[in-house]
Each structure stands twice: as C-alpha cells, then as structure tokens.
Amino acid sequence: MEFVYPPVIAACKTLFRALDMRLDLRGTEHVPTSGGAVFACTHVSYLDFIFCGLAGLPAGRRTRFMAKKQVFDNRISGPLMRGMRHIPVDRSAGQGAYQHAVTALRSGELVGVFPEATISQSFTVKSLKTGAVRMATEANVPIVPVTVWGSQRLWTKGHPKNLTQRHLPILIRVGESFQPTPEDDLEAQTADLHTRLSALLDGAQRDYPDSPKPGEDPFWLPAHLGGTAPAPEPITA
C-alpha cells in the first residue's frame, strides 16, 4: 500500500485542471504493463519528472525516479520523495544509487532516469551517460524512451519560473521500447538511445501548437527553430 504517491498524483492533476493545461500524451501503449523497465527521459526543465511520470499511469505504473540527493535533503520535498520511493543519487558515491536502481528494476519497478544528467539549455538532446543502458542490461529489462516538450516554459535553468501560466501545451511522447543486451556495444546502444530520443523530441517540437508571441523572448525554442536558446554542445561518444 502506498500512502504518498497517489495523493501527489491527484494534487498534480488538480493543478493541471486549474491551469487548464493542455496535456498531449501519446505512445503509452509502449509502456510495459508489468515487469521492470528503464524510463529514459529527455531533460528540459526542473519539472520533467512530473510529466514523464504521467506516461506510466495509463498502464497502471508508478515511476521511481533517480534524483540528486539534495532534493531528498530538503525538509519539504525530502519526505515526499522518500514516500514515493524515488532513488537518491549522491554524485560523489553514485554506485550505491546505481545498485539501488538495478535492484528496483529486478523487482519489477519502472525506474526513471535522465541520461543527459543535467538540463539541456539548448533544448536539444545532449550527450548521454551510459548508465541507463548499463542498468537495463544488468537488470535484463527494456528501455522506454520518453520526451517532454513545453515544460521548459514553466521552469528551466537560467530563467525565472512561471508556474501559473494558463492553457500551456505540454507534449509527452513515449517511444518503442528496446532491449539492450550484454553482447551489444555499450556506446553503440547509448548512441541508439540518443537517436531515439532526438527523433521523439523533434516530433514533439513539430507538433507543438504554440509559437512565441510578437515581442516575446523565444528563450524556450532551440536555435535551429529560431529561438534564443544557446547552441547545442558537441555530441561526444
């Protein structure tokens, strides 16, 4: 029995309705209805774990996200994060969080990770860490690519948060899962994940129904779409 996660989900949905947020969630048929899986999510805002977590709900799944330890140390967010059984990551001792995640996957949980490690300020997919593929391989579970677009308009790195915007479109896209294997090259599989996430994000950007208003700073658009976001960092292997 879980006492924290359900009311948090209900509170988020109530807020979405109050703001008349336009949530567009597609691809949930790719979420496994049972067994462990890695949710590998793009990262454009501080709120992405909320929207990525919505992708598991139609399949009756709750996602346990890996998040930096400081969030768990906060007196307000900490009890909520622990109550929802999310996984703290101490970057000075990351192996413990990794093993925690692998154990959760083997026990049948969905584990959410942000393989870019930090928010992409260019709003394109950054170079990925190999952890998502490594833990999926070790736990023998699939990876499910997930992308969110529009959340950066609420709260992203380098810009003040604006959490009361009404009628804001948020697009969530879930891609086909794939099963990494120990026989396959780790870097090649991580590059494959990057390709899948980039395709999902490109599709969400094409589908997005809003554009900057006249005189508005298009900070939330990547440079290749005419925005003022910084140019992407070079992709490294």
Side-chain angles (χ1 to χ4, degrees):
M1 179 69 70
E2 294 199 50
F3 299 101
V4 178
Y5 219 142
V8 168
I9 292 170
C12 289
K13 288 183 174 180
T14 298
L15 179 60
F16 298 156
R17 285 194 296 270
L19 295 175
D20 195 22
M21 197 169 285
R22 294 144 60 192
L23 296 175
D24 182 351
L25 175 58
R26 302 182 193 178
T28 56
E29 68 275 9
H30 300 307
V31 179
T33 56
S34 62
V38 174
F39 259 24
C41 311
T42 56
H43 205 7
V44 296
S45 87
Y46 291 110
L47 304 174
D48 290 334
F49 72 98
I50 296 174
F51 297 109
C52 287
L54 294 178
L57 298 183
R61 310 297 303 274
R62 299 184 185 116
T63 307
R64 316 300 173 180
F65 281 95
M66 301 183 76
K68 60 184 180 181
K69 180 178 176 290
Q70 291 88 328
V71 179
F72 292 79
D73 293 338
N74 183 279
R75 64 185 181 86
I76 296 174
S77 62
L80 293 174
M81 297 293 283
R82 288 187 290 274
M84 289 185 281
R85 305 205 324 250
H86 295 312
I87 300 170
V89 178
D90 183 347
R91 290 180 178 170
S92 65
Q95 187 62 24
Y98 175 86
Q99 291 301 332
H100 186 168
V102 169
T103 299
L105 290 166
R106 286 173 172 162
S107 69
E109 297 278 16
L110 291 184
V111 173
V113 300
F114 296 99
E116 295 165 279
T118 59
I119 288 174
S120 170
Q121 293 183 267
S122 69
F123 306 132
T124 60
V125 183
K126 293 162 58 95
S127 295
L128 305 185
K129 307 296 183 183
T130 59
V133 172
R134 286 192 295 116
M135 68 176 63
T137 302
E138 186 170 338
N140 192 28
V141 299
I143 296 178
V144 182
V146 184
T147 194
V148 176
W149 186 247
S151 57
Q152 74 276 18
R153 298 175 68 184
L154 292 168
W155 189 13
T156 193
K157 197 170 188 176
H159 296 276
K161 56 180 175 287
N162 185 358
L163 303 178
T164 59
Q165 297 181 70
R166 295 181 58 80
H167 318 301
L168 188 70
I170 304 289
L171 276 55
I172 306 159
R173 298 289 185 265
V174 183
E176 292 185 13
S177 65
F178 69 102
Q179 181 87 42
T181 65
E183 293 76 25
D184 295 325
D185 180 75
L186 178 64
E187 298 293 344
Q189 290 180 102
T190 301
D192 180 29
L193 175 58
H194 188 281
T195 298
R196 291 167 184 261
L197 288 172
S198 295
L200 278 179
L201 184 59
D202 288 346
Q205 290 170 343
R206 285 194 302 270
D207 291 345
Y208 200 68
D210 270 11
S211 57
K213 297 178 177 59
E216 176 188 352
D217 178 11
F219 76 89
W220 53 271
L221 282 178
H224 73 274
L225 293 179
T228 56
E233 300 172 6
I235 301 299
T236 57

